[in-house]
Amino acid sequence: MADLLNAWKQVGSDLQHLLESPDSSPFAGEWQLLLTKANQENPWFGKNEVITAFKGIAHMLSKESLDKWSHSFTLKKTNKVERVVGVIMAGNIPMAGFHDMLCVSLSGHRLQAKLSSDDSVLLPFMLKLLASHHPEAASRISFKGNLKNADAIIATGSNNTSRYFEYYFGNKPHIFRKNRNSVAVLTGSENEYDLLLLGRDIFTYYGMGCRNVSKLYVPKGYSFDNFFPAMQHYADVMQHNKYMNNFDYNSAVYLLNTMKFLTNNFLIVIEDTSLHSPVSVVHFEYYENEKELSTKLEMVSDQLQCIVSKNGKVGFGQTQLPEVSDYADGVDTMQFLQSIE
């Protein structure tokens, strides 16, 4: 399967070429059309959002990343019994299901994917890139048909949809992903650049991904005086009608309910214990000391995708650049796939 791994590296090189010199790429014409179609299908998928997603995938598919990751599992030449893995893909951010596509491909199983109606043109383009380097591997990936005959299921959705996944597919080997959120821990010692990078974690994809920071943990007495000037760098979200409709709606709800909140006219910051916040809103919660903070985070650990901090595992500005070894919900997808016999 080393040839397949090399094919994915070539896909990564193709993407890097497109991102750096789109006009000289053999896929130049399709590239511009792809960006247009993605935005027509889903108004949240603007050019910047799609390009950001492709940059993240190009990073995953770099030779260095794939070589390091592939050492953690054994690439099978063949499977004793061919299995079909059904994948139900989310459409909240561009190509949210790519990592599952990559994992199933490298596991040696067949992929039968159900694309989200909000994101149905980008992954077929990725498949075309793969086909240009490894036609046989690409033939083992399909985006058509239902999943009734799948031997195993990977499904990404909400806490609500997971009940349906369990009902229909609970008797098969499966990974069912529910709601996850990401949080940032602030100490008050962050400089302007730290906060600028934090804004990237908040605003990329308009805050709609599970890796977007939706809540801040701040020390008692924390002042947001430096926070909002740094967020001003992302004021271009005001040009997006859907985003501002959410901002106007949430502002009205909080005002009508006489709830106290802070705002800079495109982002609302409000004290709330909930991890999940609506589009255009970030929640915050105070902590007294590190011990209390650790307790708070431990209590919600099964609901967290990323914990962002200045000196933590995930630094400011890094949430949307996951390594290929960063499995969603902390569940090792490759280990699961290789356990299917």
Side-chain angles (χ1 to χ4, degrees), residues 38-169:
N39 188 235
Q40 288 174 341
E41 180 178 65
N42 187 339
W44 291 106
F45 291 5
K47 179 180 178 180
N48 289 339
E49 285 67 50
V50 175
I51 287 178
T52 296
F54 275 120
K55 285 180 178 178
I57 290 175
H59 173 71
M60 283 188 184
L61 298 181
S62 68
K63 182 181 185 303
E64 181 182 3
S65 293
L66 286 181
D67 283 344
K68 183 179 179 180
W69 179 51
S70 63
H71 290 155
S72 67
F73 56 84
T74 302
L75 290 172
K76 297 181 179 180
K77 292 182 179 179
T78 58
N79 288 304
K80 294 178 181 178
V81 180
E82 183 174 270
R83 297 300 186 188
V84 176
V85 179
V87 178
I88 300 174
M89 297 180 169
N92 54 323
I93 66 172
M95 296 177 287
F98 172 76
H99 193 267
D100 289 331
M101 175 179 169
L102 175 66
C103 288
V104 176
S105 171
L106 289 174
S107 74
H109 294 300
R110 286 186 174 273
L111 170 64
Q112 184 74 54
K114 184 180 186 303
L115 295 172
S116 167
S117 59
D118 290 328
D119 187 11
S120 69
V121 299
L122 298 175
L123 286 177
F125 176 73
M126 291 297 299
L127 181 59
K128 185 170 185 175
L129 294 183
L130 177 63
S132 69
H133 299 289
H134 202 310
E136 192 277 332
S139 72
R140 298 172 66 82
I141 297 173
S142 174
F143 298 123
K144 297 180 180 179
N146 61 54
L147 307 181
K148 288 183 179 179
N149 297 320
D151 300 299
I153 295 288
I154 299 174
T156 302
S158 65
N159 291 347
N160 187 47
T161 56
S162 68
R163 294 182 298 166
Y164 295 96
F165 297 155
E166 188 68 46
Y167 178 79
Y168 287 108
F169 305 114

Side-chain angles (χ1 to χ4, degrees), residues 268-333:
I268 297 168
V269 177
I270 188 167
E271 187 173 1
D272 196 306
T273 58
S274 174
L275 292 175
H276 177 73
S277 61
V279 172
S280 77
V281 178
V282 170
H283 292 164
F284 77 90
E285 184 174 345
Y286 291 113
Y287 64 89
E288 292 277 1
N289 49 55
E290 288 190 12
K291 182 179 180 180
E292 183 191 27
L293 173 63
S294 296
T295 300
K296 287 177 181 285
L297 293 175
E298 180 62 31
M299 289 175 63
V300 294
S301 60
D302 61 339
Q303 303 172 54
L304 295 177
Q305 195 70 51
C306 301
I307 301 175
V308 184
S309 63
K310 187 169 184 176
N311 299 311
K313 181 181 177 181
V314 182
F316 295 128
Q318 297 301 306
T319 60
Q320 301 303 335
L321 284 173
E323 296 297 330
V324 68
S325 57
D326 289 335
Y327 297 105
D329 293 16
V331 178
D332 190 324
T333 312

Side-chain angles (χ1 to χ4, degrees), residues 212-224:
N212 283 105
V213 168
S214 57
K215 181 171 181 175
L216 309 173
Y217 286 93
V218 299
K220 201 74 173 178
Y222 180 83
S223 170
F224 285 90

Side-chain angles (χ1 to χ4, degrees), residues 249-259 261:
Y249 172 80
N250 290 315
S251 297
V253 169
Y254 296 145
L255 287 169
L256 286 171
N257 287 280
T258 63
M259 300 171 70
F261 62 92

